[in-house]
Amino acid sequence: MQRTTFLRASIALAAATLMGTASAAPEPILIGVPAPMTGPNTQYGDELKAGVLTAIETLNAAGGLNGRPYQPVLIDDACEPKQAVPAANRVINSGAKFAVAHVCSGVTVPAAKIYEEEGIVAITPGATAPQVTDNLKGRHFFRTIGRDDQQGPFAASFIAARLNAQTIVVLHDKQTYGAGVAQHVKASLEKLGANIALYDGINAGDSDYSAVITKLKTIKPDVVFFGGYPPEMGLLLRQAKEQGLQTQFMGAEGAFNQSLVEIAGPALEGMLFTYPADFSARAENQAIVQAFEKAQRPANGAYQMPAYAAVQVLHESMKAVGTDPKKVAEYMHSNRFDTVIGPVAFDRKGDLKNFDFVVFKLDKSGQRKLVR
C-alpha cells in the first residue's frame, strides 16, 4: 500500500509539474497569412510570406509582444477568386484575430468583406484595386500598398510626358486587378488628351494571342499598356517579338515577377512597369535587409517590405492598446507609424494617404533598372 501511494503521489506531482510548465508557456498571437502558395502567381505569395515571416522572426527574437510570440497561420488562396471565401474562413477558424491578407485583388475583394463582418484586423500588402476598400462599411481592413487610382495616373503621366506617345493601346485580362488598373490608366490618359487607339480585354489563361498581335500590327501603337499578370504579359511579349511587332510594352506591378522572365525570355528587353519603390535600398532598412538575407529570402520584390510594414503596424498598435481587434483598428486609423516603407498613415477607408510608385525598365535577362 505504501508503494502504491508513493507511485500515485509521484505521478500526480509529475502531472502537476507538466501542467504548470504548459500553463507557463505564453499563448501565441496568431496572424493569418493567406496568399497564393500554388498556381502561376506563387511568387507573389512567396514575397508576402518572406516579409511576414522575417518580421515575425525579428519581433519574436526581441521578445514578441510582452513575451507572447507571434505565430503565422499560412493559408493558400492560389490567387483564385473562388478560393477567397474558403481562405478567409480558414483564417477565422484558426482563431487568428489579425491577418496580413492576400495579394491578388480578385481574391481580396470578397475576402475583405468577411474580415470586416468577423472583426478581423487585416492588412493587404499587395491588392491595389480601389474596390477592395471602397465597398467596405467597416473599419477593420487596411493596406500597405497604393491603389490603382494612384498607380494609374502615375503610369499615364509617364506614358504621355516621358514617352511622348501619340498612339496608345490599353489591354487588360478582364480580371479585377488587370481591368481595374487598365481602366485607371485609360481614364488618366484621356484626361491628358492622349489618343487611345484600342482598349480591349484578352482571356486570361489563353496560350495564343495572335489575333490581338495582328490588331496591334495594324494599329502600330507607340505604347501598349497591359493590365494583368505575368503569364499573359509574358506571352504577349514573346508572341509580339515572334510576329515582328515593334512597340513599347508597359505594365503595372502585378505584371512582373520571375515567371515573366521565364515565359517571355529575351523578348522582355525594354519592357517598362510601374512598381513600388525599392524600399530595400533605404539606408535605414539595411539591418532588416540583412535579416532577410540571413533567412535566405530576397527583400527587393514588390510585396516583401509592404508585408513587413503590415506586421510592424499590427505590433505597434498591439503594444499601445492590447490585442482587442476593435481597439487595434481604432488605433491604426488615428495614428502614424514609422515602418520599412516610410511613414504610414491610413485614411478613413484604411488606405494609405501616400505611397511611392516608380518606373523600372527590364534588360533581356530580366534585371530591372530605375527609370523614374
Side-chain angles (χ1 to χ4, degrees):
M1 288 292 295
Q2 290 182 343
R3 177 175 173 78
T4 301
T5 302
F6 175 77
L7 284 172
R8 287 174 178 169
S10 299
I11 292 169
L13 179 61
T17 302
L18 287 172
M19 290 177 63
T21 302
S23 63
E27 182 182 2
I29 299 168
L30 303 179
I31 297 181
V33 189
M37 299 178 191
T38 58
N41 297 302
T42 301
Q43 183 172 332
Y44 296 138
D46 291 341
E47 292 181 3
L48 185 151
K49 284 192 299 179
V52 172
L53 296 180
T54 305
I56 285 177
E57 289 163 6
T58 301
L59 289 172
N60 285 346
L65 180 69
N66 301 322
R68 292 181 65 186
Y70 292 102
Q71 180 176 314
V73 180
L74 302 179
I75 296 166
D76 182 21
D77 67 24
C79 194
E80 285 282 351
K82 64 184 179 182
Q83 295 296 328
V85 172
N89 284 333
R90 287 179 65 191
V91 172
I92 294 162
N93 293 337
S94 75
K97 299 299 181 184
F98 308 93
V100 180
H102 313 289
V103 174
C104 302
S105 292
V107 176
T108 311
V109 171
K113 296 176 183 177
I114 294 175
Y115 301 130
E116 284 285 359
E117 291 169 358
E118 297 295 329
I120 306 296
V121 178
I123 308 176
T124 174
T128 56
Q131 56 264 50
V132 167
T133 49
D134 283 354
N135 295 336
L136 297 179
K137 296 180 180 179
R139 291 170 55 84
H140 285 73
F141 199 87
F142 302 80
R143 58 178 137 201
T144 48
I145 195 166
R147 292 164 49 120
D148 288 338
D149 50 7
Q150 295 170 317
Q151 185 172 199
F154 174 75
S157 66
F158 181 88
I159 291 169
R162 291 288 295 272
L163 299 181
N164 194 28
Q166 303 302 307
T167 304
I168 303 164
V169 168
V170 179
L171 301 175
H172 60 84
D173 63 0
K174 302 180 184 179
Q175 299 187 86
T176 302
Y177 164 70
V181 70
Q183 178 57 41
H184 285 291
V185 170
K186 175 179 178 285
S188 298
L189 283 168
E190 289 174 338
K191 288 180 181 178
L192 295 170
N195 174 29
I196 309 296
L198 176 67
Y199 177 73
D200 201 3
I202 64 172
N203 295 317
D206 282 359
S207 59
D208 185 359
Y209 296 116
S210 297
V212 72
I213 300 299
T214 299
K215 282 185 185 179
L216 297 180
K217 290 177 72 175
T218 301
I219 295 169
K220 298 180 181 177
D222 299 308
V223 175
V224 176
F225 181 91
F226 175 67
Y229 293 111
E232 292 72 34
M233 181 88 250
L235 287 174
L236 285 171
L237 289 169
R238 194 178 76 203
Q239 292 173 12
K241 186 176 181 63
E242 290 170 351
Q243 295 185 42
L245 173 64
Q246 295 184 352
T247 188
Q248 175 66 66
F249 277 92
M250 185 172 183
E253 96 293 340
F256 171 71
N257 66 18
Q258 185 59 37
S259 68
L260 174 71
V261 181
E262 296 165 358
I263 295 167
L268 57 69
E269 183 175 14
M271 176 189 153
L272 298 166
F273 58 99
T274 54
Y275 209 64
D278 184 3
F279 301 112
S280 68
R282 298 178 75 217
E284 52 267 63
N285 286 345
Q286 292 316 295
I288 292 167
V289 171
Q290 290 173 8
F292 275 90
E293 291 173 348
K294 185 177 180 181
Q296 297 184 328
R297 302 176 187 128
N300 65 344
Y303 308 123
Q304 287 97 323
M305 289 301 185
Y308 194 108
V311 178
Q312 286 181 306
V313 169
L314 289 173
H315 174 68
E316 290 302 317
S317 300
M318 283 187 264
K319 272 176 57 179
V321 298
T323 57
D324 181 325
K326 184 177 181 180
K327 292 180 180 179
V328 169
E330 290 172 351
Y331 187 86
M332 288 169 62
H333 274 290
S334 57
N335 285 273
R336 175 184 174 279
F337 304 87
D338 291 320
T339 75
V340 292
I341 63 173
V344 162
F346 301 102
D347 65 16
R348 63 182 180 82
K349 292 182 180 179
D351 293 320
L352 292 178
K353 293 181 178 179
N354 297 288
F355 188 81
D356 291 333
F357 286 106
V358 297
V359 175
F360 284 108
K361 188 173 188 176
L362 295 174
D363 66 19
K364 63 182 179 182
S365 67
Q367 296 300 306
R368 67 192 194 203
K369 179 180 180 182
L370 182 65
V371 176
R372 174 184 174 185

